[in-house]
Each structure stands twice: as C-alpha cells, then as structure tokens.
Amino acid sequence: MHLRLFIVMIFTSIYSFAQTNFGSISGSISSVENEPLELVSISIVELNKNTLTDIKGNFSFSNIVPGNYIVRIQMVGAKEEDIPVLVKENQNTPISYKLTKENIQLLQEVRIIGNNTKITRKESPYVAKLPIKYLENPQVYNVVPKELINQQMAVDLGSVSKNVPGAGIPMVANQGRVTFRSRGFEAEPNARNGVAGAAFSFLDNTNLERIEAIKGPSTTLFGTQVASSYGGFYNRVTKKPYNSVGGEVSYTGGSWDFNRVTFDANTPINSDKTALLRLNGATTFEKSFQDNGFTNSLALAPSFSYQINDKLSLLMDIEFGTAKGTSVVRFNPYTKGNKIQSIANMHFPYRKTFLGDDITYNTQMMNIFGQLNYKISSKWTSQTIFSRARSTINGYITALNGKSDSTLQASVIIGNTNFIATNLQQNFIGDFYIGKFRNRMVVGLDYYNNFNSFDRVTVNAPLVNFINTPSSYRVTRNMLDTLTNTGTPRKEKSSDNTYSAYISDVFDITDRLKVMGSLRVDNFHYNGVYNILTGETSGGLSVSGLQAGPYSQTALSHKSGLIYEVLKDKLTVFGNYLNGFFNISGVDKDGNNFVPQKGNQLEFGTKADLFNHKLVGTISYYDINVDHVLRTDPDDANYSIQDGTQYSRGVEVDITANPVAGLNIVFGYAYNDSKFTKSDASVLNLRPAASGPQNMYNFWVSYTFTEGKFSGLGAGFGGNMGSSSYQTNTQTSKVIIPSYQMFDASIFYDRPKYRLGLKVDNITSEKAWSVRLTPQAPARFLASLSLKF
C-alpha cells in the first residue's frame, strides 16, 4: 500500500513538473545614437543567470519559471540599470534599453557595431585611458579601422601605416621589425591595447582590429617603454571574441611567390555565452623582388574573454609568431669628404642584395596579455593588467657599409639576442561629480621590468665593388663561419626596473568647456650590464662614450589640455601641452650625473565630427622642443655635455569622410620643420637625418555599392607622396633620399558568405627608399579569396 502511494506521488510530481509552462525574456541594448551594443552584461538577479548581448545588441533567457524578476544591465562606463519584469507562462517578456547619455566602448570591450561600411569612427578607450569621446580628447590621434585595412588588402603593418599622416615609408629592420616617422621622430608599434606590447621581430596583422597613431610626447600616461618617441607611438588594437559562432578563412597570392593563408574562428564555449574564444592565425611565404631574399612566417593569436559575473570580467590574449628569413638591404654609404650625393645617383644596384639565401635569421615572439575589470560601484572601476613580451633572434643580421664611392663591405651579426619585458598595471577609473562638475579620472600604478641578453659576434665580409660586382660574388654562410674567430664578440646581460604612479582627470567646467590635467612620477633603476666574458658588471657603453655604473633616475612628466566645443558634439577647438622624457646614463667630465632628456609639445587645433559622422577630422599645429640633449664637450672630446636642444614644428591634417552611402574618402597631410638648435658643430642648425620628408601626403578614395544586384562590389584608389629627405645630413656630407609618389588600387566584391579582392601596390613601380636606404618593391599584384561562416 505504501509502495503504491509512493509511486503515485512520484508520477504525480513528474506530471506536474512536465505541465509547468515556462516563460522567456529577450531584448536589445542600443547606444544613444540607436546603434547596437555588443558584449553588454545582462543578468537575472534572483536566478544568478548571466549572458552577453550579441553583435546585434540582442540577448535572451529561456526556460524561466513564471514570476517577478530583476534584469540587471551592467557595463563599464555606464550606470548600473535594474529593470523589473514579470515573466508569464508561455510568453516572452521583451526589454528594450537605450543609453540615456553617450557611453563609448571602453574597458570591458563593449563594442559599438554600427555601419561597417563607414571608416569615420574615431572613438578609442585607450588614448586617454578614460571614457572620453574623440571630440573631448585634447590630444591628436589617427585611427586606421579594419574596414579600411580590408579594402586595401593590407597584409602587413607597413601597408596599414600608409593611412597615417606623416608615417612615411616604413623602415623595416633585419628581423621584420617595422618603425615609422612621426613629427620628425621615429615611432614604433610598442603598445597593444594601450599597454606595453613591443616585439623586436615581425608582427603579423592576423589579429589586428585597427591601428591608433597617438601623436606627440606621451610618457605621462604610457611611460617611456611604450611612448618611445617625442613624435608619438602606435597602438595595436587586437581582435576580441564576440557572442556568436563565426569566422573566416582567406587565401592571398601574388607577385614574387607571395602566399598567405589566414583564419579567424570564434565561438562561445558555455551555454550562457559568457565565456568566449576567438583564434586568429596566419602563415606567409614571400620571396624578395631582388635577386635573393625571402621570408616565411607563422602567427597564432588566441583571445579569451569571460564575464565571470555581472561586475567582474576577464580578458586574455596571446600573440605567438615565428619567422625565418633574410635581412632586408640596409646600406650605409661612404660619407667621408665634403660631398652632397643622392642614393638615386650612386649606382647602388636596386635589385641586388649581395647576400646568399643561406644568410638567414630565425625569430620567435610571444606576447601574453591579461586584464581583469571589476566594477566597484556605479562610479568606479578597477582595471588590473598583466603583460609579458618576449622576442628571440637567432642567426645572421646584416648591414652593407660603404668603404668608398664604389665599394662596400657586409657587416654581419651572428648569434642570439633575447628581449623580455614584464608589465604590471593597476588602474582605478572613475566617472563622478563634485557638485555640478563632472570628473573622469584614472589613478594608476605601473611596474615595468626589462631584460636583455646578447650572445653574438660581429664579422666583416670581404670588400666588393657594388657598381661592377663580379658575378661570382655572394656572401655565404660558409664564408662568414670561417670569420667568427676574427669578429667582435658581445656576450652580456642587462636589465632595468621602472616604478611609476600617475593620475589624469578630465574636468567639465561646463558641458562644452573641459580641461585635462595629468601627472606621472617615474623612478628608473638601471641594473647595469653583466659581461659574461669578464664576469664584471658595469653600466655598459653610455651615450657619452664612457663606462658608467648602474644608476637611478626619477622624472616627473605632465600633460594638460583644453577643449571647447564650439558646436556641441560637432566641432571643437583644443590645445595641449604634453611632456616626454628618456633616461640618459653617464657623467660629464666633472663627474655630474646626466639627467633625463626632456621633450615638451605645445599644440592647438580643431576637431570636427559633422553631419552624423559623415565628416570627421583634425587640423593642428604643434611645436616640440627637446632639451638636455647630449653633445660632445667642446673643451674635451672624450666627454659629453647635456645642453643640446632641438625643435620640431609642423602642421597635420587628418580627414575621413563618408558623404554618401558606400563612398569613403581619406586624406592626410603632414608638414614638419625640424632642426638642431644647439648641438655639435657638424649638425648645428641642420635638419636631423632620419626625420623623414618635410612634406607628406596620403589619400584613399573608395566606393562600394550598398544595394541592388551589385551590392558589395567596390573599388579604391590611393597614394602616398613625400618630399626629399636625408639619410645623412651634416655640414660636410649629405646623402639625399629623393621625393616619391606611390599609388595603389584595389577592386573587391564583398558578400555575406565570401569576399574577392584584387590589389596593385605601387602601380607605376616608383623607385623609393626608406630612411635606411632599403629599396621599396616595384608594382606588386595581389589576389585574395575569403570564405565566411
């Protein structure tokens, strides 16, 4: 009897449960401009259930027991929103939420999707480390978005940089490392997602979402490790996971056996879609247009994000790359004697390397990045960042040194080099009011450790006449290996530590007038150089040419800016005063330690974002002055004194426009006047060599059909032009790099399931050289096919 009753009760319970009619909740989240927002955290408080919005801003919860609940909308940079809902049986409860004030994609990597055919959006969470809009930021920066990268079929960082005013012809180092010009100085892609991410080898584009060129001295917020130039630096924004399944496989083939395969795969990895994984990868092989030379590389870049709960999120990225190749041509002409010469008239062969394909290097790099965001309150967020970068170079690194007007000698470094950098950051980001005045503030602590090791020897190959080169001449591995005993060894290790604290605040005096103030204190400890051969530790070879022991320096860096919105959210005028510094080792002849070198920039201009983002741009004038530059002591050539000065002044124009659907226009202009104003007599009052052309232009115009039977079909045309510049510029010797005009064109057909593209770089096969006198490739043809899923 009891058993029968128990069985009846069990079946009754199962039947009752089966008859329960669940409900559901779904909705969408949009910005103040009605654009969908991706990766916003949505939770049901009572059930502890979480999810994220997808690329269309949508979310949903199913199988919800009927009743009253609170749906919480949570994202960094916005006020927490609780929405009461009533779930009914067999019904869906809709929620539609629109932000009531401007909030841009910030630390949580919430992304505004918008219209993917536009290239005018400039908003960035990284430039100021604060939630401020493009028009609210008094610092100048340029953005090259993925839409433009795709249109131009840009397969490397050098191709991407063509869209940055003043970038010039990229300088490619022997390991594939690339640098650019910026306001008369060298600029490097040393930052990844706003923190240190340098690589002393090649960096593949496979995980590149966009490039941000941040202009002017920027050590106040980023430190010397990232902002390694008074002209600015490049920030690589990487691809992040999104809340759906998707991806792409692409093949690109072209001139000189160019073969490149890339893939991009994304998927949620849990049922709530709060844990997301994305994997990008590429492999590339290309021969040189010259008589010898090649590169062969592999890159993998996984990215993982996890919305742990409605307040805490985790992001982890890894960049791994390995490459084997031959050094690009780097020519250092013979400059002794009073002469003015142009590389175009030296009879240096444009298509000859003088090196065999067995003179190779191997590189390996790995960057690891982790970020935890915790929303402390509606006003404050904690951001904890860990970054570690490692680059290893093995093999042969070459340069061609002129020994006369017609002869050269290959100088070759053989061996191993390692660079390891570790960065820890803790930021607290606030958005709060003091009375009626809005403040957006970041307070941060920063630790950076740098370690380098060298185990290599430099040897010199036999001289050769580069004008009438014997057909049998070629520098080979066997030739070099027999010379290693005669070479100059470098076997050493070095390291340094930097401890920093910084604060930056944007203070709204009115809703149109805003002021920014920033300050950094930086304590640098150089631990010296350990010589493996002698077992001694010293400071290494200082800039003064003397041995200096380990040393410490403390520097203050400041940044201030003013923004006034002439037309609210449309047109602003701005001014900034930026500071940068670099630590300098050594002492003068009286034993006084050198102090950090300083660079200060004064800049003013205007920014515009008009006609509903159809016309966006910046026009500015800057004046950079560098002090505490070392120069040879006129009373004792064995020492240096620290009273040298230099200025760099100029105008920059950066305009992007989308006047009608499908039509995109990019235009840039950079004028730069640089000069040594107090220096060694050999360069006094001259433009620094390697500062790039005085005038540079860039443009790109494209049109894509957005509807009809030709929807997705498009074409683009652009160019880069620069005036003449110098590889060497002294009172007695000048090596001139001629002006250049290089044009590119592309045609593409972009459909939801596939994309076809054709591209021609340097259509006219213009002869051009980088600042290292590396010949640039003639016309290169590329074709690509991408399959999307």
Side-chain angles (χ1 to χ4, degrees):
M1 179 68 181
H2 293 291
L3 179 60
R4 183 181 300 171
L5 179 61
F6 177 74
I7 293 173
V8 170
M9 291 174 64
I10 290 295
F11 276 97
T12 301
S13 299
I14 293 173
Y15 178 78
S16 299
F17 181 80
Q19 291 298 308
T20 300
N21 294 313
F22 295 104
S24 62
I25 301 172
S26 65
S28 62
I29 309 296
S30 60
S31 71
V32 68
E33 295 178 331
N34 292 316
E35 294 177 316
L37 294 178
E38 183 193 6
L39 301 185
V40 178
S41 174
I42 312 295
S43 61
I44 301 176
V45 175
E46 292 81 1
L47 301 179
N48 196 29
K49 291 176 68 72
N50 296 277
T51 192
L52 297 168
T53 54
D54 61 20
I55 60 175
K56 296 182 179 180
N58 298 325
F59 69 91
S60 64
F61 296 99
S62 57
N63 297 323
I64 306 299
V65 176
N68 291 295
Y69 298 96
I70 296 293
V71 173
R72 178 165 293 165
I73 300 171
Q74 185 88 263
M75 66 176 173
V76 176
K79 182 181 178 182
E80 180 182 289
E81 185 71 22
D82 286 345
I83 301 176
V85 298
L86 173 62
V87 176
K88 298 181 179 180
E89 293 183 355
N90 299 319
Q91 292 186 26
N92 178 65
T93 303
I95 296 175
S96 181
Y97 179 72
K98 177 180 177 181
L99 298 182
T100 56
K101 66 176 182 178
E102 181 67 38
N103 289 272
I104 52 178
Q105 47 165 341
L106 289 175
L107 312 169
Q108 192 177 321
E109 286 301 325
V110 175
R111 294 192 283 277
I112 301 174
I113 303 304
N115 184 349
N116 286 332
T117 64
K118 289 186 178 181
I119 60 172
T120 55
R121 188 174 299 283
K122 302 288 187 180
E123 313 299 353
S124 169
Y126 306 109
V127 178
K129 293 184 178 284
L130 281 172
I132 60 175
K133 296 182 291 184
Y134 170 71
L135 292 180
E136 295 179 310
N137 195 330
Q139 187 166 6
V140 172
Y141 63 95
N142 316 121
V143 176
V144 184
K146 64 180 180 182
E147 292 80 15
L148 191 55
I149 295 172
N150 288 337
Q151 281 187 11
Q152 297 179 350
M153 293 173 57
V155 294
D156 52 61
L157 286 177
S159 300
V160 175
S161 73
K162 291 180 179 180
N163 302 284
V164 176
I169 294 175
M171 186 194 80
V172 180
N174 293 324
Q175 308 84 32
R177 183 182 181 187
V178 62
T179 60
F180 315 100
R181 306 302 99 186
S182 183
R183 300 189 170 183
F185 301 91
E186 187 176 280
E188 298 187 68
N190 282 338
R192 182 195 58 219
N193 301 327
V195 298
F200 294 91
S201 58
F202 91 105
L203 284 166
D204 200 281
N205 278 11
T206 184
N207 67 330
L208 187 67
E209 183 78 14
R210 67 179 184 273
I211 276 286
E212 298 173 345
I214 301 171
K215 299 300 184 71
S218 301
T219 54
T220 305
L221 286 181
F222 297 99
T224 58
Q225 298 80 20
V226 172
S228 56
S229 165
Y230 297 123
F233 68 97
Y234 283 66
N235 179 42
R236 296 175 292 111
V237 179
T238 60
K239 296 176 182 178
K240 307 297 188 303
Y242 52 91
N243 191 358
S244 60
V245 175
E248 182 176 304
V249 177
S250 178
Y251 169 75
T252 303
S255 304
W256 311 300
D257 289 340
F258 184 89
N259 287 276
R260 177 174 170 85
V261 176
T262 64
F263 65 89
D264 180 355
N266 185 91
T267 183
I269 55 176
N270 66 352
S271 59
D272 292 331
K273 297 185 178 182
T274 54
L276 311 172
L277 178 65
R278 188 170 185 175
L279 178 61
N280 285 272
T283 182
T284 305
F285 176 83
E286 181 181 21
K287 290 183 179 179
S288 171
F289 72 92
Q290 296 171 306
D291 60 345
N292 276 284
F294 72 95
T295 57
N296 191 2
S297 65
L298 171 68
L300 295 173
S303 180
F304 170 75
S305 69
Y306 183 31
Q307 188 72 35
I308 300 170
N309 55 47
D310 59 354
K311 294 181 180 293
L312 181 64
S313 64
L314 168 68
L315 174 66
M316 289 195 68
D317 289 335
I318 296 175
E319 293 177 318
F320 172 81
T322 182
K324 180 178 181 179
T326 54
S327 297
V328 298
V329 168
R330 176 188 178 183
F331 181 48
N332 300 308
Y334 181 74
T335 57
K336 291 184 179 180
N338 194 346
K339 64 177 70 175
I340 299 176
Q341 51 189 335
S342 169
I343 180 62
N345 300 323
M346 288 184 186
H347 304 291
F348 184 85
Y350 199 80
R351 291 178 177 260
K352 194 172 186 62
T353 67
F354 300 93
L355 306 171
D357 274 352
D358 59 343
I359 309 299
T360 61
Y361 64 81
N362 292 274
T363 68
Q364 188 181 100
M365 60 81 69
M366 178 176 286
N367 287 344
I368 301 172
F369 174 90
Q371 178 175 317
L372 271 174
N373 296 315
Y374 180 71
K375 190 160 186 178
I376 301 170
S377 67
S378 61
K379 297 180 175 62
W380 286 94
T381 298
S382 168
Q383 181 193 68
T384 305
I385 296 174
F386 166 79
S387 177
R388 188 170 177 86
R390 176 182 63 83
S391 298
T392 300
I393 305 159
N394 288 288
Y396 301 77
I397 302 171
T398 65
L400 304 177
N401 298 322
K403 294 300 180 179
S404 73
D405 291 340
S406 60
T407 60
L408 63 79
Q409 184 176 49
S411 175
V412 185
I413 298 173
I414 307 171
N416 172 269
T417 306
N418 284 282
F419 303 95
I420 301 175
T422 304
N423 189 205
L424 297 173
Q425 275 189 31
Q426 175 59 54
N427 295 313
F428 295 98
I429 298 99
D431 187 346
F432 59 92
Y433 284 80
I434 298 177
K436 64 178 182 178
F437 301 106
R438 186 184 183 189
N439 291 264
R440 280 161 289 179
M441 178 182 292
V442 58
V443 180
L445 297 173
D446 193 357
Y447 166 74
Y448 188 89
N449 170 264
N450 183 62
F451 174 82
N452 306 318
S453 67
F454 304 88
D455 184 2
R456 61 196 201 187
V457 61
T458 301
V459 302
N460 294 315
L463 270 73
V464 65
N465 186 307
F466 62 78
I467 297 176
N468 297 300
T469 308
S471 59
S472 61
Y473 182 88
R474 183 86 54 197
V475 178
T476 64
R477 178 174 295 191
N478 288 337
M479 177 193 298
L480 295 174
D481 289 346
T482 61
L483 297 172
T484 53
N485 292 332
T486 66
T488 303
R490 184 181 183 185
K491 298 179 182 292
E492 61 188 34
K493 299 177 181 180
S494 63
S495 66
D496 56 73
N497 296 284
T498 304
Y499 307 87
S500 307
Y502 50 88
I503 183 170
S504 182
D505 184 36
V506 176
F507 183 80
D508 291 11
I509 300 174
T510 70
D511 66 339
R512 294 193 178 195
L513 180 62
K514 310 172 196 297
V515 61
M516 171 186 280
S518 311
L519 181 67
R520 182 187 192 95
V521 58
D522 186 281
N523 184 239
F524 176 79
H525 293 267
Y526 184 62
N527 301 319
V529 175
Y530 175 72
N531 189 313
I532 298 173
L533 296 176
T534 65
E536 297 178 351
T537 299
S538 69
L541 194 65
S542 72
V543 181
S544 63
L546 299 175
Q547 293 290 331
Y551 68 98
S552 298
Q553 288 179 345
T554 298
L556 290 175
S557 180
H558 55 87
K559 171 182 177 180
S560 57
L562 189 68
I563 280 279
Y564 179 70
E565 298 188 49
V566 180
L567 299 175
K568 180 64 177 171
D569 296 326
K570 292 181 173 63
L571 180 68
T572 69
V573 291
F574 69 90
N576 66 57
Y577 185 73
L578 308 181
N579 172 260
F581 66 91
F582 294 102
N583 298 102
I584 302 294
S585 66
V587 296
D588 62 20
K589 68 178 181 180
D590 297 322
N592 299 311
N593 291 319
F594 294 135
V595 299
Q597 188 184 91
K598 293 278 187 177
N600 297 297
Q601 171 184 280
L602 178 64
E603 182 176 21
F604 57 87
T606 182
K607 292 184 178 184
D609 189 343
L610 304 171
F611 313 118
N612 192 27
H613 310 303
K614 291 184 178 180
L615 177 62
V616 179
T618 304
I619 301 175
S620 69
Y621 169 82
Y622 62 86
D623 189 331
I624 302 172
N625 287 280
V626 183
D627 299 316
H628 301 148
V629 178
L630 292 184
R631 67 187 182 99
T632 302
D633 190 330
D635 298 325
D636 190 338
N638 293 316
Y639 289 89
S640 293
I641 56 177
Q642 199 176 18
D643 64 351
T645 58
Q646 174 188 345
Y647 73 71
S648 180
R649 303 165 183 164
V651 174
E652 284 186 346
V653 179
D654 176 28
I655 296 173
T656 56
N658 178 218
V660 297
L663 177 62
N664 291 305
I665 302 170
V666 175
F667 173 77
Y669 170 67
Y671 167 79
N672 175 260
D673 176 27
S674 293
K675 186 178 290 186
F676 289 115
T677 49
K678 192 172 185 180
S679 66
D680 293 336
S682 63
V683 295
L684 183 63
N685 294 322
L686 295 180
R687 182 176 179 84
S691 57
Q694 191 169 59
N695 291 277
M696 283 184 273
Y697 302 83
N698 66 277
F699 74 92
W700 178 262
V701 180
S702 66
Y703 181 76
T704 306
F705 291 97
T706 58
E707 55 187 15
K709 62 181 180 180
F710 296 112
S711 178
L713 179 64
F717 177 78
N720 293 78
M721 292 145 280
S723 57
S724 62
S725 56
Y726 297 100
Q727 187 267 349
T728 299
N729 188 24
T730 70
Q731 300 290 356
T732 59
S733 182
K734 301 181 189 298
V735 176
I736 298 171
I737 303 173
S739 61
Y740 61 89
Q741 302 85 35
M742 304 174 75
F743 301 99
D744 309 325
S746 71
I747 185 169
F748 47 88
Y749 188 42
D750 199 344
R751 301 296 296 166
K753 295 296 183 181
Y754 62 90
R755 186 182 192 279
L756 300 171
L758 294 172
K759 173 76 180 295
V760 184
D761 290 316
N762 193 10
I763 297 172
T764 61
S765 291
E766 176 85 346
K767 285 189 174 182
W769 292 263
S770 74
V771 71
R772 280 190 168 184
L773 300 185
T774 303
Q776 302 301 291
R780 178 175 74 167
F781 297 84
L782 296 174
S784 71
L785 168 64
S786 300
L787 302 177
K788 308 174 188 179
F789 54 91

